[in-house]
Amino acid sequence: MKKIFLVFVASLYLFGADYYYMNGDKRVDLTPMPQKETALRGLKNIMTFKNPAGQEIAIPDKIIVKFKTLDNTGDYLNLYDLKVLKKLRGGVYLLGAKSPKAAIEAANALNDAPDIMYAQPDIIKKRHLR
């Protein structure tokens, strides 16, 4: 029984997803939480995590991106299978992905692209009453 448990734990460590997003130049590691059947902001396709501060956050299938130039926008959208959902102020766009996991991966990849000022998942923080 101990061997089975050790193999299970080792497989989680080796094959488990490494969830994080970039906030500027800082990597923010995320701890996955059990997924709930509740919808936030009318969204059904979300994943919930705990951030390093212990806050519960949710990440939908959306990312926020600010492009330096709009020259290669279509290339990035095609490469990461994204679609423009909304143009916000100042050259910032809300993009949609196929899943929350795809949104996290695309945001991390776009954050390193030379034509992108920043990219990160559209994070939903749980509100606390004071």
Side-chain angles (χ1 to χ4, degrees):
M1 188 66 167
K2 283 184 180 180
K3 288 182 183 180
I4 293 172
F5 179 73
L6 289 174
V7 169
F8 175 72
V9 170
S11 66
L12 284 176
Y13 179 74
L14 291 174
F15 301 109
D18 187 23
Y19 292 104
Y20 69 94
Y21 70 92
M22 298 303 292
N23 186 1
D25 291 336
K26 295 181 183 178
R27 177 182 163 133
V28 179
D29 291 310
L30 301 171
T31 304
M33 295 183 60
Q35 301 308 305
K36 301 174 183 175
E37 291 296 322
T38 58
L40 298 172
R41 280 201 234 162
L43 302 171
K44 294 184 181 180
N45 197 10
I46 61 172
M47 292 178 73
T48 54
F49 299 92
K50 279 205 176 187
N51 65 14
Q55 288 179 303
E56 185 175 330
I57 63 170
I59 296 180
D61 54 353
K62 297 173 177 54
I63 64 174
I64 299 171
V65 178
K66 181 166 185 175
F67 293 94
K68 288 181 184 174
T69 66
L70 299 177
D71 298 339
N72 299 325
T73 306
D75 295 338
Y76 289 118
L77 295 176
N78 291 333
L79 183 62
Y80 297 107
D81 198 17
L82 302 169
K83 61 183 176 183
V84 176
L85 299 176
K86 192 177 205 181
K87 182 179 181 198
L88 307 170
R89 286 189 264 165
V92 178
Y93 289 83
L94 179 65
L95 305 178
K98 291 203 177 265
S99 69
K101 183 177 178 185
I104 294 169
E105 291 170 353
N108 290 337
L110 288 172
N111 200 51
D112 292 333
D115 298 332
I116 308 282
M117 288 189 74
Y118 62 83
Q120 78 178 66
D122 183 23
I123 298 169
I124 302 168
K125 292 184 179 180
K126 186 175 181 181
R127 294 184 180 177
H128 296 282
L129 297 176
R130 294 180 190 197

